């Protein structure tokens, strides 16, 4: 999960890019970067840390130009510590090209080998985003007549990317001397939206991972980029769009609606807030079947993303809703922090219980999901220490039993508390008196109710079905091996054919 933004305007875009990344900061707190275009060349500034820490006045002054892209990163592949893997990435041949990517390629190792052997391109990092950049650069070179580009050629190049790349990717890229390009993978797993704003010089365009960034910057939301589609804005501000995939279908990541996205965003025609409210409604039905609501004294959310579900659940059960935990806004999202020890320590720093709301009460705690169980275990213990008589835990999402390979940092099965455990065993692990999970079909129904045109989702971390059809058991085993032995990956000593099943 990362956040990307691209702007093609008629006035300097550095401040708008910076402010947009602040609105997308929840999508990544590991690194940030901005690249702008001017006089057929690029300026770029990036580094590890939050947006406010990476960019100082001197950095902003070094980013002139009326067109640019930005990125906030949390690590899903590569090294969490290396600033070399902060995005955007840049290549200078055959055209100056910078790219920012949200998602994860499932065949990056195979592509890396092809780029070195056939395309004579060398990859300098472990990031699949650099691989994707070089695939795009090669396809531009292969489809161009001489050194000149036009929208038709650019769209053919994106079609070549779709033919070679597997997995999830939403991208923004700049081509020196030509313009701004945005495209989305043929399955539409990761989100990407288009907005516009009118100025005296003409129409300005903006692309972003979430609509909240568009609206927050004064741009009118136009539409979502379609799966497999590419949109190009030239230097004169003219927009071109074309479907570049032979086959495409919309399968948005349902975890965006559960946790990742801001509640005030609208993605693929679905209000994230309303989806979470619906999840609370369906979860209430499930709890009502198992226990009388009168046994619950109070419903409390685990702030912030579970609030809409918890509030609707309390309304449906006719049980008082209370805020029992106060959140320290200066601590990052623990789910996307690398390392169990860091996450465990951060829970106590991030949340503090209000004892008066817990004392001698049976409390129903509602969270958006339970992934590793570290946060849930600490929160249950905090509730008991605050005086709760009983602690019931409810998850607005089903059990996370499978790795996610499309851009969410949960790749190893032994890190997932629900992997190989029953609900009763999970309840014992987190120390709760009772545990309720959302039903998988109810979760999908909660989102589909708001846009019936979407029939399928990427819900792989819940149901184990990988929508791209290329994720095998061998792939997952090797991915876990690399995660547990990063020194092997960094040394380049492990050559693997990842991302293809045996019959492909």
């Amino acid at each position: 999960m990362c956040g990307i933004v691209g702007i093609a305007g008629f006035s300097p875009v550095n401040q708008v890019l910076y402010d947009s990344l602040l609105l997308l900061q929840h999508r990544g707190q590991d690194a940030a970067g901005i690249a702008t275009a001017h006089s057929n060349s690029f300026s770029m500034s990036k580094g590890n840390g939050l947006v406010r820490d990476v960019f100082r006045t001197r950095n902003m002054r070094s980013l002139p130009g009326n067109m640019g892209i930005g990125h906030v990163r949390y690590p899903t592949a590569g090294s969490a510590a290396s600033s070399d893997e902060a995005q955007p990435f840049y290549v200078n041949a055959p055209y100056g090209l910078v790219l920012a990517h949200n998602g994860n390629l499932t065949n990056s190792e195979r592509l890396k080998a092809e780029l070195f052997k056939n395309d004579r391109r060398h990859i300098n990092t472990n990031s699949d985003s650099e691989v994707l950049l070089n695939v795009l650069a090669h396809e531009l070179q292969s489809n161009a007549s001489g050194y000149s580009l036009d929208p038709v050629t650019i769209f053919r190049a994106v079609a070549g990317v779709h033919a070679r790349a597997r997995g999830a990717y939403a991208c923004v890229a700049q081509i020196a001397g030509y313009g701004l390009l945005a495209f989305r993978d043929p399955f539409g797993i990761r989100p990407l939206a288009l907005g516009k704003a009118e100025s005296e010089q003409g129409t300005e365009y903006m692309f972003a991972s979430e609509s909240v960034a568009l609206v927050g910057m004064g741009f009118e939301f136009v539409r979502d980029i379609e799966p497999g589609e590419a949109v190009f804005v030239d230097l004169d501000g003219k927009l071109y769009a074309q479907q570049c995939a032979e086959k495409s279908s919309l399968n948005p990541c349902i975890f965006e609606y559960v946790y990742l996205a801001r509640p005030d965003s609208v993605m693929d025609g679905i209000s994230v807030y309303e989806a979470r409210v619906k999840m609370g409604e369906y979860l209430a039905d499930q709890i009502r079947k198992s226990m009388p609501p009168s046994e619950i004294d109070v419903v409390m959310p685990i702030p912030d993303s579970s609030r809409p579900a918890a509030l609707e659940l309390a309304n449906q059960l006719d049980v008082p809703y209370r805020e029992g935990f106060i959140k320290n806004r200066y601590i990052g999202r623990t789910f996307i922090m690398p390392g169990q020890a860091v996450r465990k320590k951060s829970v106590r720093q991030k949340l503090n219980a209000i004892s008066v709301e817990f004392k001698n009460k049976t409390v129903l705690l509602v969270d958006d999901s339970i992934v590793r169980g570290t946060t849930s275990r600490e929160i249950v213990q905090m509730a008991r220490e605050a005086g709760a008589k009983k602690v019931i835990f409810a998850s607005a999402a089903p059990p996370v039993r499978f790795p996610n390979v499309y851009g969410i940092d949960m790749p190893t099965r032994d890190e997932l508390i629900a992997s190989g455990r029953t609900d009763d065993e999970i309840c014992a692990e987190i120390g709760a008196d009772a545990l309720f999970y959302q039903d998988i079909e109810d979760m999908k129904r909660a989102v589909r109710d708001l846009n019936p045109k979407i029939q399928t989702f990427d819900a792989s971390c819940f149901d184990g079905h990988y929508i791209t059809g290329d994720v095998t058991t061998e792939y997952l085993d090797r991915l876990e091996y690399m995660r547990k032995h990063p020194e092997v990956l960094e040394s380049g000593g492990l050559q693997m054919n990842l991302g293809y099943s045996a019959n492909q």
Side-chain angles (χ1 to χ4, degrees), residues 221-385:
F221 172 79
V222 176
R223 63 180 178 86
D224 296 283
I225 305 302
E226 296 294 326
E229 183 185 21
V231 179
F232 177 70
V233 183
D234 66 20
L235 298 181
D236 296 322
K238 186 174 181 180
L239 184 143
Y240 306 81
Q242 183 172 306
Q243 175 58 250
C244 298
E246 289 187 7
K247 295 181 180 179
S248 64
S249 60
L250 181 56
N251 308 269
C253 172
I254 205 162
F255 210 71
E256 293 276 359
Y257 302 100
V258 169
Y259 172 82
L260 300 180
R262 269 181 49 158
D264 46 345
S265 283
V266 177
M267 308 168 77
D268 292 310
I270 297 166
S271 161
V272 175
Y273 177 82
E274 289 186 272
R276 291 175 185 170
V277 169
K278 279 284 185 183
M279 289 177 196
E281 178 183 330
Y282 284 116
L283 184 58
D285 291 340
Q286 177 127 340
I287 293 174
R288 193 182 290 110
K289 294 175 186 176
S290 301
M291 67 180 297
S294 59
E295 294 183 8
I296 304 169
D297 293 318
V298 63
V299 173
M300 295 180 182
I302 310 302
D304 284 316
S305 48
S306 67
R307 277 201 180 98
L311 184 57
E312 183 62 19
L313 186 152
N315 288 337
Q316 293 289 328
L317 296 181
D318 196 22
V319 173
Y321 171 91
R322 292 288 186 272
E323 293 283 346
F325 292 99
I326 298 300
K327 182 177 180 180
N328 180 351
R329 308 259 173 209
Y330 302 97
I331 299 291
R333 301 177 87 177
T334 54
F335 169 75
I336 66 175
M337 287 181 176
Q340 285 283 76
V342 175
R343 280 188 291 269
K344 184 174 180 179
K345 181 180 178 182
S346 294
V347 173
R348 297 272 178 163
Q349 294 174 336
K350 184 174 74 169
L351 296 176
N352 189 51
I354 303 175
S355 296
V356 68
E357 294 294 349
F358 290 89
K359 194 172 181 63
N360 297 322
K361 294 179 182 178
T362 295
V363 297
L364 172 57
L365 304 180
V366 182
D367 209 350
D368 49 69
S369 59
I370 305 172
V371 181
R372 297 169 177 87
T374 307
T375 300
S376 305
R377 190 179 301 114
E378 289 294 313
I379 287 173
V380 170
Q381 183 60 31
M382 289 170 67
R384 294 199 187 281
E385 292 171 0

Side-chain angles (χ1 to χ4, degrees), residues 337-480:
M337 287 181 176
Q340 285 283 76
V342 175
R343 280 188 291 269
K344 184 174 180 179
K345 181 180 178 182
S346 294
V347 173
R348 297 272 178 163
Q349 294 174 336
K350 184 174 74 169
L351 296 176
N352 189 51
I354 303 175
S355 296
V356 68
E357 294 294 349
F358 290 89
K359 194 172 181 63
N360 297 322
K361 294 179 182 178
T362 295
V363 297
L364 172 57
L365 304 180
V366 182
D367 209 350
D368 49 69
S369 59
I370 305 172
V371 181
R372 297 169 177 87
T374 307
T375 300
S376 305
R377 190 179 301 114
E378 289 294 313
I379 287 173
V380 170
Q381 183 60 31
M382 289 170 67
R384 294 199 187 281
E385 292 171 0
K389 181 172 60 177
K390 285 187 178 181
V391 180
I392 303 167
F393 207 95
S395 168
V400 178
R401 300 191 187 278
F402 304 93
N404 184 289
V405 299
Y406 299 131
I408 302 174
D409 187 29
M410 52 171 84
T412 61
R413 284 160 284 192
D414 58 6
E415 286 184 295
L416 305 175
I417 192 171
S419 179
R421 290 187 177 94
T422 65
D423 290 0
D424 288 341
E425 290 171 334
I426 299 167
C427 183
E429 282 287 325
I430 66 173
D433 294 291
L435 173 65
F436 294 97
Y437 272 112
Q438 182 83 269
D439 178 77
I440 289 181
E441 290 307 313
D442 283 347
M443 175 188 65
K444 294 179 181 179
R445 190 178 300 115
V447 183
R448 192 183 294 118
D449 283 350
L450 302 172
N451 186 356
K453 293 180 181 179
I454 301 179
Q455 293 300 307
T456 55
F457 299 92
D458 165 51
S460 53
C461 57
F462 302 112
D463 60 17
H465 174 62
Y466 295 93
I467 199 72
T468 55
D470 62 326
V471 178
T472 64
T473 301
E474 179 189 29
Y475 175 88
L476 296 176
D477 289 342
R478 292 183 175 182
L479 189 66
E480 291 182 7

